């Protein structure tokens, strides 16, 4: 792996920012990309509606360019839908998805990995030699939700993003009361 990209918030409005970064670092394109999409995505995409489109949109764009897309997240269990509690336990306690990503990286050696900030921190701590770029979302709701106290690894580069969508959009989209 040459580049690790961590997203402080992975909202679809930020796909273009990641695409610009990758175009600058790899003007001839990238050979392989590991985004945070389920490993059984091909099997479940007909019925699974992702809460966030960011990683799926990124994968679609690069797949169209001929980039090998390597799904990095744990598979979706069709018989038991994931809850928000499941996601929180995995992200803050068990680290199952992050551990799985490290194994896939070791096996498939993707050129670029783009995942959420918690997973990126976990990966950087396991693979400290990799160059780590972190997209930090600033302003309003984001600074409240994404406390810098949660940072577990020091990025090599930090790129600040300011959301263009109003906070109300995200409150509605993610059912935040």
């Amino acid at each position: 792996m040459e580049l690790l990209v961590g997203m402080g918030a992975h909202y679809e409005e930020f796909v273009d920012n990641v695409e610009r970064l990758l175009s600058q670092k790899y003007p001839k394109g990238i050979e392989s990309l590991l985004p945070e999409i389920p490993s059984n995505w091909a099997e479940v995409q007909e019925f699974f509606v992702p809460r966030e489109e960011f990683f799926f949109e990124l994968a679609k764009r690069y797949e169209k360019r001929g980039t090998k897309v390597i799904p990095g997240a744990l598979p979706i269990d069709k018989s038991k839908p994931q809850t928000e509690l499941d996601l929180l336990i995995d992200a803050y306690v068990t680290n199952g998805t992050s551990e799985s990503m490290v194994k896939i990286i070791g096996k498939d050696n993707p050129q670029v990995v783009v995942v959420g900030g918690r997973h990126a921190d976990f990966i950087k701590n396991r693979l400290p030699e990799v160059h780590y770029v972190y997209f930090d979302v600033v302003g309003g709701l984001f600074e409240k939700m994404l406390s810098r106290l949660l940072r577990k690894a020091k990025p090599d580069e930090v790129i600040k993003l300011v959301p263009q969508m109003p906070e109300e959009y995200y409150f509605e989209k993610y059912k935040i009361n």
Side-chain angles (χ1 to χ4, degrees), residues 117-130:
R118 299 276 307 162
H119 299 305
D121 284 350
F122 187 94
I123 292 166
K124 176 66 173 178
N125 283 330
R126 300 305 184 282
L127 304 167
E129 71 284 351
V130 71

Side-chain angles (χ1 to χ4, degrees), residues 3-168:
L3 179 65
L4 172 63
V5 178
M7 299 301 300
H10 21 93
Y11 301 124
E12 56 271 10
E13 74 175 284
F14 300 139
V15 173
D16 292 339
N17 298 88
V18 173
E19 204 169 12
R20 271 192 295 281
L21 171 77
L22 297 181
S23 294
Q24 289 169 357
K25 292 197 176 287
Y26 302 95
K28 294 182 181 180
I30 57 176
E31 292 178 20
S32 57
L33 169 71
L34 184 147
E36 187 180 327
I37 60 176
S39 60
N40 63 340
W41 176 240
E43 302 165 26
V44 299
Q45 63 183 320
E46 288 181 25
F47 72 86
F48 177 72
V49 178
R51 180 177 161 207
E52 298 170 336
E53 296 288 335
F54 175 87
F55 296 109
F56 300 100
E57 178 61 27
L58 191 66
K60 288 176 197 170
R61 289 184 188 188
Y62 278 90
E63 197 168 52
K64 283 181 185 174
R65 295 179 185 150
T67 299
K68 178 182 178 185
V69 174
I70 303 164
L74 292 172
I76 294 171
D77 183 348
K78 295 184 246 186
S79 66
K80 181 183 173 259
Q82 258 187 342
T83 66
E84 292 298 317
L85 181 59
D86 294 332
L87 295 172
L88 288 172
I89 290 171
D90 181 61
Y92 292 94
V93 180
T94 63
N95 292 309
T97 299
S98 297
E99 288 282 2
S100 176
M101 289 176 182
V102 170
K103 288 177 186 170
I104 293 168
I105 291 166
K107 184 177 95 139
D108 295 326
N109 192 26
Q111 186 176 16
V112 176
V113 172
V114 181
V115 296
R118 299 276 307 162
H119 299 305
D121 284 350
F122 187 94
I123 292 166
K124 176 66 173 178
N125 283 330
R126 300 305 184 282
L127 304 167
E129 71 284 351
V130 71
H131 188 77
Y132 176 22
V133 177
Y134 181 72
F135 281 90
D136 190 16
V137 180
V138 296
L141 166 70
F142 300 98
E143 285 187 334
K144 294 171 195 162
M145 287 177 50
L146 304 168
S147 168
R148 288 181 181 86
L149 296 174
L150 295 175
R151 305 283 336 130
K152 300 290 183 196
K154 186 173 181 344
D156 299 296
E157 292 178 60
V158 175
I159 299 172
K160 302 259 186 213
L161 296 176
V162 177
Q164 301 304 304
M165 300 297 289
E167 286 184 353
E168 293 76 21

